[in-house]
Amino acid sequence: AARNSLDVLNRETEAHLKSVPGDKASVQKRLDKLHEIQTVYNILCFRKNERGTLKARLSRQKNETAGAEQKLRLLEEDRERALKSYEGCKRELEEANAGLNSSIAHKLAMTLREGEPCPVCGSQQHPEPAVFVNASDKAVPERKIEQADEKLASAEKAFRDADRAVLLINERLKSSTEQYNLTEKDLSRKESEYEAEKSKLPDALKALEHDELGQEIGRMSKAASEKLQAIEKWESEQEAFKEKIQKLGDELNHCRIEENGILAELRVNN
């Protein structure tokens, strides 16, 4: 019976030997390679996050630059209006001064004294000096000049403020543009680094998009791990077959020893 069991077990062992799932060394080598690929993918994920951060920054800076350009146009329009207002006030002051000069005769008339020479004609008699139709008229030129002066000062301040605002927004726009250009260069460099890292992948994986690449690496790693587990399970089963064969062989040898002992005893008795 032990002999028959051993023969059956040997046949089962041979059949199991033919069912090996694969070469363990090859599968382990594939897992090592997949580990290297996973490392590359992890770096790609980091590079992708860097690119995403720079793209978001670039978009924000682009919007800031566009906003600064729009504000600059509006401030330049304000400055142009302020300049026109300033020039208008300047002309108004010039006209007020011209009005004051036209009333110089009235001013001189106020200074004439009987028996004193006229500063214009030299006469010491002044029978019909220029008179103001209305006493309040004599203050009009001075009041106009004063008002024009105040308006001019206000307009000049408004123009200077507008001009300063344009200068400030120009500086801001210049800074925004420089920052945008720097970010654009950084993004281009990160894109190159991403592509350089991706070139380390096997050709079959290079064409995949980032998310597809991660999924494919996960699928390949899972398949290789399952293959290794199957081989290790097969090895364990094969080891169990060997142990059973060894145990049955020992039992068979024990039976043979007992059988030989009995036969020897029978020969002695006969």
Side-chain angles (χ1 to χ4, degrees):
R3 181 64 193 176
N4 290 337
S5 297
L6 184 60
D7 290 341
V8 171
L9 192 57
N10 279 327
R11 287 195 295 273
E12 290 178 352
T13 302
E14 290 177 3
H16 185 265
L17 190 61
K18 294 177 182 178
S19 68
V20 59
D23 180 62
K24 186 176 182 179
S26 298
V27 175
Q28 188 61 59
K29 185 177 180 180
R30 179 169 178 76
L31 279 170
D32 291 341
K33 182 63 178 178
L34 285 170
H35 179 72
E36 293 176 3
I37 293 173
Q38 182 65 50
T39 300
V40 172
Y41 179 71
N42 291 341
I43 295 174
L44 288 175
C45 289
F46 177 74
R47 298 295 184 211
K48 182 175 182 290
N49 289 336
E50 284 183 323
R51 290 189 310 168
T53 299
L54 288 172
K55 285 179 179 179
R57 185 188 303 168
L58 196 65
S59 177
R60 184 175 66 253
Q61 289 173 340
K62 184 177 181 181
N63 291 335
E64 289 175 355
T65 301
E69 287 174 344
Q70 182 179 7
K71 189 169 184 179
L72 175 61
R73 286 193 294 270
L74 295 174
L75 288 173
E76 285 177 336
E77 291 173 2
D78 289 345
R79 183 177 64 177
E80 185 64 24
R81 284 191 294 268
L83 178 60
K84 289 180 178 179
S85 176
Y86 170 73
E87 290 173 344
C89 290
K90 196 174 180 181
R91 286 193 299 271
E92 187 177 330
L93 179 59
E94 289 171 353
E95 290 171 0
N97 280 321
L100 180 62
N101 291 335
S102 68
S103 67
I104 193 66
H106 292 191
K107 288 182 175 291
L108 288 173
M110 295 177 63
T111 64
L112 293 177
R113 297 291 182 270
E114 196 65 31
E116 294 180 1
C118 173
V120 178
C121 65
S123 175
Q124 294 183 352
Q125 295 181 351
H126 320 293
E128 295 182 4
V131 296
F132 292 103
V133 176
N134 191 322
S136 63
D137 289 346
K138 61 183 179 182
V140 170
E142 288 86 351
R143 186 164 60 250
K144 284 185 177 180
I145 290 175
E146 184 180 346
Q147 292 172 347
D149 232 350
E150 291 175 356
K151 287 176 65 177
L152 180 63
S154 178
E156 184 178 10
K157 182 180 182 303
F159 172 70
R160 287 180 178 176
D161 289 344
D163 191 53
R164 189 181 302 109
V166 169
L167 291 175
L168 289 174
I169 197 66
N170 259 321
E171 287 299 317
R172 177 181 162 190
L173 180 58
K174 180 182 177 182
S175 176
S176 295
T177 302
E178 289 174 352
Q179 290 299 318
Y180 180 87
N181 292 336
L182 287 174
T183 302
E184 202 170 37
K185 287 180 181 178
D186 285 344
L187 178 58
S188 177
R189 180 166 54 83
K190 293 302 179 183
E191 293 283 4
S192 298
E193 290 176 356
Y194 182 91
E195 293 303 323
E197 193 66 33
K198 195 172 183 180
S199 68
K200 299 176 184 178
L201 293 171
D203 291 339
L205 298 177
K206 289 178 181 177
L208 297 178
E209 294 296 327
H210 185 84
D211 292 340
E212 293 175 336
L213 176 60
Q215 293 171 3
E216 182 62 15
I217 293 173
R219 185 193 66 76
M220 293 167 66
S221 297
K222 181 181 178 183
S225 296
E226 289 176 349
K227 189 84 167 178
L228 182 61
Q229 289 174 1
I231 292 173
E232 290 174 344
K233 180 182 178 183
W234 178 89
E235 288 177 338
S236 178
E237 292 171 348
Q238 190 68 14
E239 190 62 32
F241 275 118
K242 289 180 181 179
E243 290 175 0
K244 287 180 181 179
I245 290 172
Q246 181 66 42
K247 184 177 180 181
L248 282 174
D250 292 343
E251 290 177 1
L252 184 60
N253 288 333
H254 181 70
C255 289
R256 283 175 180 171
I257 292 171
E258 287 184 347
E259 183 181 356
N260 289 335
I262 292 171
L263 289 174
E265 187 177 341
L266 286 174
R267 282 196 295 270
V268 171
N269 292 332
N270 291 332

